[in-house]
Amino acid sequence: MASTLSDLRAAQPTVWINPDLSSFQIAQADNDLTKADIDEAEALLIRAAPWLAENFPDTEEGIIESPLMLYGNVWVKLDSHLPISGSIKARGGIYAVLKLAEDLGGTLGDTEWYSKYTITVASTGNLGLSIGIMSAAIGFNVEVHMSRDAREWKKQLLREKGCTVIEHDGDFSAAVEFAREASQHPDTYFIDDENSRDLFLGYAVAARRLKEQLSRNGVEVNAEHPLHVYLPCGVGGGPGGVLFGLKTEFGDNVHGYFVEPTHAPSMLLGMATQMFNEISVADIGLDGRTIADGLAVGRTSAFVGKRMRRLITACVTAHDKTFLQDMRRFHAAHGIFIEPSAAAGFAGHRAFAHLPGTHLVWATGGSTVPEDERADLLAL
């Protein structure tokens, strides 16, 4: 523990092996969610598919899914190219909005009926895009609370979609508090990236889709051929939901590795200290600043961290320059652009590439980044 905290304080790349990893059956004692909950989430997405297909023709007949490709000796799940909002947040964010719309009793397509409600969210960018785009399309009013340091193009895109962007000094946690306070207004609903059951389950649906894709590509997952999955991690909802879903499909034959920036290792810090959201990277002298803006989070989610306590195999941190190098390499090899945060998984893979089995990097965002921004990032 002491050496891990020393490395984190020094912003040095760190590999932390989870001493509390257990069987999925034992881990479920910490979790009030089950496979049946994921079934319900998938069923709602299927019910909404006709409306999604009509309003978002870039979906696969209303199904929000991304390609799987082989990159050398590692598979890459291209959530960077998910339809509608171009990031992994399309899974959880869009499901959460559709779930709220259904719970409120309206009918998709009746924009006037939904216009009496407001959805508010705090976001470093991509969650705000998924919730903002979907909420506005349904007819909700939308407020997205963001740090002033968040990418300007993401704020502008949200405004173009009809969302109100409210900027705050401070980091992501400060924006969360303002969004939470705003939700006290009548007919206002806060989608909480740190504590949302619906976001978590929306992400979890990805697992059964991936299982089908692996099967179509002849990839077996079993005790002799385990699956190692590398997930970029910010507050933890996206990777946590995906890993929970994968565990329900593959049990102990899947291993999850969360990857974070050296300046914002909120999940690793919370897990290693067992303090979860009660400790911030600022408490150990880190500034939380990173080129991987989607991972610029100072404090992990208690909801996710405690559910992941016995599920995560390891956490890895890497320098921004490593994310940028992997982003450029992937672009050079395939002409596919992913964000620096989306390239984080490659650093995790290098740490564990020697392990037998199938290795998969989850690329989490990038297709909505404007061309001039892409050029600037590729030139760094």
Side-chain angles (χ1 to χ4, degrees):
M1 166 69 84
S3 61
T4 296
L5 288 178
S6 177
D7 288 343
L8 292 181
R9 286 192 182 97
Q12 290 301 307
T14 304
V15 175
W16 174 78
I17 307 298
N18 182 13
D20 293 324
L21 176 67
S22 66
S23 70
F24 181 57
Q25 183 177 5
I26 292 174
Q28 275 299 87
D30 293 339
N31 196 354
D32 57 346
L33 301 176
T34 67
K35 191 171 184 177
D37 295 310
I38 304 175
D39 292 339
E40 290 182 10
E42 185 174 39
L44 187 151
L45 289 169
I46 292 171
R47 287 197 298 275
W51 182 86
L52 288 168
E54 181 179 350
N55 289 271
F56 298 97
D58 57 332
T59 60
E60 299 176 13
E61 297 183 345
I63 300 299
I64 304 166
E65 199 42 70
S66 70
L68 178 70
M69 65 173 290
L70 193 58
Y71 172 51
N73 63 347
V74 62
W75 291 93
V76 179
K77 182 66 171 141
L78 287 171
D79 272 11
S80 51
H81 289 67
L82 274 173
I84 302 179
S85 64
S87 83
I88 190 174
K89 300 296 186 179
R91 297 186 183 281
I94 289 170
Y95 169 71
V97 174
L98 291 169
K99 176 71 162 52
L100 177 59
E102 190 171 272
D103 288 348
L104 288 171
T107 301
L108 292 177
D110 189 349
T111 56
E112 183 177 352
W113 192 88
Y114 284 111
S115 67
K116 59 190 176 186
Y117 300 105
T118 297
I119 289 180
T120 183
V121 65
S123 174
T124 56
N126 284 340
L127 181 65
L129 286 176
S130 68
I131 288 175
I133 291 169
M134 182 55 54
S135 298
I138 290 173
F140 289 110
N141 300 302
V142 194
E143 291 182 356
V144 182
H145 294 256
M146 305 178 76
S147 166
R148 291 191 199 282
D149 295 334
R151 296 289 180 187
E152 192 59 41
W153 70 265
K154 292 184 180 180
K155 299 173 188 175
Q156 186 55 39
L157 180 56
L158 282 164
R159 294 184 181 108
E160 291 172 2
K161 296 296 183 180
C163 305
T164 298
V165 176
I166 302 171
E167 299 183 60
H168 302 281
D169 295 322
D171 63 7
F172 171 76
S173 296
V176 170
E177 290 309 311
F178 279 102
R180 198 171 275 136
E181 184 176 336
S183 68
Q184 303 305 310
H185 297 164
D187 295 325
T188 298
Y189 296 87
F190 175 43
I191 296 180
D192 187 350
D193 195 17
E194 294 183 337
N195 296 292
S196 174
R197 179 182 188 275
D198 293 334
L199 285 175
F200 191 83
L201 290 172
Y203 298 127
V205 172
R208 55 192 54 183
R209 307 269 180 82
L210 175 65
K211 184 177 183 179
E212 294 171 0
Q213 288 178 315
L214 290 172
S215 179
R216 288 198 298 270
N217 282 279
V219 177
E220 295 184 14
V221 178
N222 51 44
E224 291 72 35
H225 303 92
L227 176 65
H228 303 274
V229 181
Y230 306 92
L231 293 143
C233 182
V235 72
V242 169
L243 180 56
F244 173 65
L246 289 170
K247 288 287 187 177
T248 65
E249 296 297 328
F250 300 114
D252 300 332
N253 298 325
V254 64
H255 300 277
Y257 309 84
F258 288 8
V259 189
E260 301 175 283
T262 54
H263 282 252
S266 58
M267 179 62 76
L268 196 164
L269 179 63
M271 294 283 289
T273 61
Q274 294 290 287
M275 293 177 70
F276 306 108
N277 67 315
E278 295 178 4
I279 188 169
S280 166
V281 300
D283 296 333
I284 61 169
L286 296 175
D287 57 17
R289 294 184 178 275
T290 170
I291 192 69
D293 57 312
L295 311 183
V297 174
R299 192 183 303 271
T300 193
S301 159
F303 176 91
V304 177
K306 292 176 181 178
R307 284 170 171 77
M308 292 295 104
R309 184 171 69 90
R310 295 179 177 178
L311 293 184
I312 294 175
T313 297
C315 292
V316 178
T317 69
H319 289 307
D320 278 7
K321 66 179 181 181
T322 301
F323 299 157
L324 289 168
Q325 288 169 352
D326 286 324
M327 175 193 71
R328 290 194 294 266
R329 289 192 188 108
F330 188 67
H331 184 266
H334 293 286
I336 298 173
F337 178 82
I338 58 177
E339 292 177 304
S341 57
F346 293 113
H349 172 242
R350 273 192 296 276
F352 294 96
H354 61 283
L355 296 177
T358 299
H359 294 256
L360 185 148
V361 166
W362 213 285
T364 48
S367 63
T368 57
V369 177
E371 288 297 333
D372 58 339
E373 291 270 345
R374 297 185 188 194
D376 289 345
L377 286 167
L378 289 168
L380 289 176

